[in-house]
Amino acid sequence: GLKWSIWNDWIFLTNRYDHMTMSKQGEQVAPDTLLREKLIGFQREIAELKRINKEQEEAAEQREQELLLGLFEVLDAFDNLEKNIRGKENLLNKIGQRFVKGTRAIQRKLVRLLRSRHIEPLKFPENKARIKQCKIIATQNDPALENEEIIFVEKKGYIDTERKRVLRKAEVVTVCNDVPPMISVYSSEDSHNS
């Protein structure tokens, strides 16, 4: 590979250091000039390898981000299924109840897989929407609550806890008492008020 080639060049140059070489024009070239030219060549090769490595890392990171966003959409589907089933499980027959248990088991496995890669759902201990973690998709007036308090989370957000990087912002509905409510085209308020 490249390391072997560089090592061979270095051995050749050190063996030839005591001898003079001839340039294309027939002039004698000092060994230090030859060494300088080889060093410049090595520096160019190293710079090119660094550029290629950076491009490959960026491409791998882009593929990983796309895969994670796809997995988050799968988790969204599980969350929506859970919202639709909640409170209706007792109406299901045994087959339906087994199906619900099976889907919850799959959801737990997916969450465990993400956790093993240091990816967790975002948490809001103060129940406040923060711009780095949330996308506000709607607001509601509620004088009993403070502005920016989260009323409900339409879509969970996710964070890489190892890199301390938000991978997807949570989509939330918050309190805003200073202006008329902003209605979201994404959420249906009926499903959250029932």
Side-chain angles (χ1 to χ4, degrees):
L2 180 63
K3 288 181 182 179
W4 183 252
S5 172
I6 291 171
W7 179 249
N8 283 336
D9 287 346
W10 179 254
I11 291 172
F12 171 77
L13 289 173
T14 54
N15 289 339
R16 300 282 295 162
Y17 188 76
D18 293 333
H19 299 83
M20 302 297 280
T21 58
M22 300 297 284
S23 70
K24 290 180 183 173
Q25 290 81 23
E27 302 167 354
Q28 289 191 336
V29 178
D32 60 336
T33 304
L34 187 59
L35 284 171
R36 192 176 306 116
E37 288 174 6
K38 277 294 188 180
L39 181 60
I40 290 168
F42 292 153
Q43 288 172 335
R44 285 187 183 133
E45 286 180 25
I46 290 168
E48 179 65 11
L49 287 172
K50 284 182 178 179
R51 184 190 65 76
I52 290 169
N53 189 39
K54 184 178 180 187
E55 286 177 2
Q56 288 175 343
E57 284 177 2
E58 289 171 354
E61 193 170 315
Q62 179 66 31
R63 286 191 304 272
E64 179 185 15
Q65 180 71 14
E66 289 170 3
L67 175 64
L68 289 173
L69 291 175
L71 290 175
F72 298 155
E73 288 179 14
V74 172
L75 285 171
D76 292 342
F78 280 118
D79 289 340
N80 288 335
L81 182 61
E82 184 65 31
K83 286 176 192 174
N84 290 330
I85 291 173
R86 196 176 300 135
K88 301 172 186 166
E89 286 180 69
N90 57 349
L91 302 175
L92 298 174
N93 61 21
K94 291 210 183 270
I95 294 172
Q97 290 174 356
R98 272 187 258 156
F99 173 77
V100 170
K101 285 181 183 180
T103 57
R104 286 178 179 152
I106 294 168
Q107 182 181 19
R108 285 191 304 272
K109 285 180 182 182
L110 184 52
V111 168
R112 278 195 304 268
L113 172 66
L114 291 173
R115 281 196 177 125
S116 74
R117 303 283 190 257
H118 310 285
I119 297 168
E120 298 273 348
L122 284 169
K123 293 185 173 48
F124 306 100
E126 298 172 11
N127 203 38
K128 294 273 188 157
R130 300 289 176 236
I131 195 147
K132 289 183 179 179
Q133 297 179 326
C134 297
K135 175 182 177 184
I136 298 171
I137 59 169
T139 61
Q140 293 179 3
N141 298 118
D142 189 338
L145 300 173
E146 293 180 28
N147 285 344
E148 297 180 351
E149 276 195 58
I150 297 171
I151 298 172
F152 62 85
V153 177
E154 182 70 25
K155 282 187 180 181
K156 290 179 184 173
Y158 295 90
I159 186 169
D160 182 330
T161 57
E162 190 173 54
R163 297 179 194 168
K164 307 281 190 262
R165 186 175 63 176
V166 173
L167 301 171
R168 184 179 84 171
K169 291 182 177 186
E171 294 184 9
V172 299
V173 176
T174 64
V175 174
C176 184
N177 291 318
D178 302 332
V179 294
M182 175 180 83
I183 305 300
S184 168
V185 294
Y186 302 111
S187 65
S188 75
E189 295 199 19
D190 295 336
S191 66
H192 300 288
N193 291 336
S194 57

